[in-house]
Each structure stands twice: as structure tokens, then as C-alpha cells.
Amino acid sequence: MRAPLAAFVLVLAATGATAEPARPARPPYLAAGALDTAAVLPPPPRPGSAAQTADAAIYASTRALAGTPRWQLAIADVPSGVPRLLDDFSCAAGRRLDPARLPALTELLARTRRDVVEAVRDAKAHFARGRSHLGNDAALCVERSEALDRSFAYPSGHATEGWTFGLVLAALIPERATAILRRGRIYGESRIVCGVHWASDVEAGRSTGAALFAALVGNPAFRADLERARAELAGPADAPDAAACAAEEAASPLP
């Protein structure tokens, strides 16, 4: 049985995610059970395996990023949700992605986000992997909390959302695809820098996002909404904030 949607939203809130503004909820694009993410993903690394050792080494090495520009970018990347992600992708898109001026795009991503929630929630419950900060007192870019401790890690919901949105935006603005997808990768990697996810959680998030996007493009309602957003993006747009974009670029991604 599927857990209530509200439970997953509460987990996002515990990790700094922002709730979407209240609006009449449209259903996800995909029917329940159309994409079984837990069957698509490989299981997370086993304790004591070489892959888990590599995860632990990455976790330990990224603690040294505390206080650096990359750490500050990770903090800025903590909030999720459509308005924040549109802002995060604006520099990569080469234009200000203002939700107030892009209602079709905003609605497309808001409905897509419901599919992200469905895809991530059941997989997290299936694999039930603990987060990287458990059992240590290393620096995190968010406050430790009981809700964060109880939430599962694999796949990363933030990485899934960032990669899915990146794929949607790259399809809509193909001339900016490289920059957009790079930003989507960095957004997911911020969860590693933050200390709340293993690197393999983030990799699984990208795989989840890719699988979800592949399923979505086969959905007629998604394709229709995608074309409405494409037409909307053909209109004039303001340039993103140059200083903010320069600061974002200066915050180097993981090597």
C-alpha cells in the first residue's frame, strides 16, 4: 500500500524542502504502478562492500568542504520545489525562469513533481537505507533532526527532482542543454556535500530521474503540457542576475 503523500512532503520539509503553494491538486501524469523504481534500480551498496567503502571515503572527504563556496552552494540547494528549482536553473537556462511569467512551465513541473514523489517514496521504503550522517557527528549543511534521521536515503529525492527537472528543461531549451544538465548534476551533488546522502544515493537519484522522464515522454498529457511550456518559453525573458550567476559558477562542483 502506498504511504500517504503528506508523509513524504514532511520528510522533504525536514531536509529543508519547501512546500508548494496550496492549489487544487492535479494527479501525477503516470498511473499508479506504471513505473516501479525499486525494480529498475540496483540495490544500494552492501555494508562492507567495496562500493560502500567508496561511499564512506567520499563522505569523509567532502566534510572538508565546510565553509567553502561549494558548501554555501549546497546550503542554497537545500530547498526544493518548483519556484526554487526554477530559480536554481535560471543561470544555466540563460534567462530568468519566473513562475509568475511562466504559468505553463510551472504547472508542468508541479505536476511532474508529483510523479517524482511517487517514484522516490516507494523506492526509499523498499530499500530502507540509512543516511550517511548516522553514527557520526561530522558537519552537515542542515540541522540534524529526528525526522532527518528517520528518513531513508536511497534514492535521493533531491537528486531525482533536480535531474528530472533538468531533463525537462533541456528538452524545452535544447540550446542550453549542456549548462542545464550540468546544473542538475551539481544540484544532486549538493546532497553529498551537505552530508545527508551517500554518493550512490545521488547516482540512484539520477537513474530514477532518467527512468521517470523516459516514462513521462510516452504520456500524451505530459507531451501536451510540454509543448505548451515550449511555446511559452518562446516569448521574451529577462536575463538572470549576473552577480548571482558568477557566484554560482565560482562555487566549484565536486571533482
Side-chain angles (χ1 to χ4, degrees):
M1 180 179 295
R2 292 178 181 271
L5 176 62
F8 187 77
V9 172
L10 286 174
V11 169
L12 287 178
T15 59
T18 54
E20 292 299 305
R23 61 163 67 92
R26 294 182 66 191
Y29 286 106
L30 301 180
L35 178 64
D36 184 355
T37 310
V40 173
L41 292 174
R46 297 186 306 275
S49 66
Q52 180 57 40
T53 299
D55 264 352
I58 292 170
Y59 176 79
S61 67
T62 51
R63 297 312 85 218
L65 293 171
T68 66
R70 184 64 185 89
W71 186 265
Q72 297 305 315
L73 180 59
I75 293 173
D77 283 347
V78 169
S80 68
V82 176
R84 288 302 298 258
L85 269 274
L86 286 175
D87 187 54
D88 288 336
F89 276 107
S90 287
C91 293
R95 57 181 293 162
R96 185 173 173 230
L97 299 174
D98 182 357
R101 296 177 61 178
L102 297 169
L105 175 61
T106 300
E107 179 60 26
L108 167 70
L109 294 179
R111 192 172 177 187
T112 296
R113 192 172 193 251
R114 296 183 66 83
D115 288 286
V116 170
V117 169
E118 296 282 348
V120 171
R121 178 184 54 205
D122 291 348
K124 280 181 180 283
H126 175 81
F127 293 113
R129 188 188 198 190
R131 289 184 181 258
S132 52
H133 70 281
L134 297 178
N136 64 73
D137 60 358
L140 306 183
C141 86
V142 296
E143 290 187 10
R144 292 173 181 261
S145 68
E146 184 180 353
L148 178 62
D149 292 351
R150 289 200 315 264
S151 64
F152 295 128
Y154 186 95
S156 163
H158 277 70
T160 301
E161 184 174 26
W163 196 244
T164 304
F165 282 20
L167 290 168
V168 171
L169 290 169
L172 290 170
I173 318 172
E175 66 275 15
R176 303 288 300 183
T178 298
I180 288 168
L181 293 175
R182 177 177 179 268
R183 184 65 179 96
R185 172 180 60 79
I186 291 169
Y187 180 82
E189 288 174 347
S190 284
R191 305 306 285 166
I192 304 169
V193 175
C194 205
V196 295
H197 273 293
W198 304 104
S200 56
D201 300 337
V202 170
E203 181 179 352
R206 287 196 295 267
S207 295
T208 302
L212 178 57
F213 183 74
L216 287 170
V217 295
N219 180 276
F222 175 82
R223 291 199 306 272
D225 287 350
L226 191 73
E227 292 311 311
R228 277 190 283 272
R230 191 188 311 279
E232 186 176 71
L233 285 164
D238 296 330
D241 182 85
C245 293
E248 181 179 292
E249 185 60 31
S252 301
L254 289 176

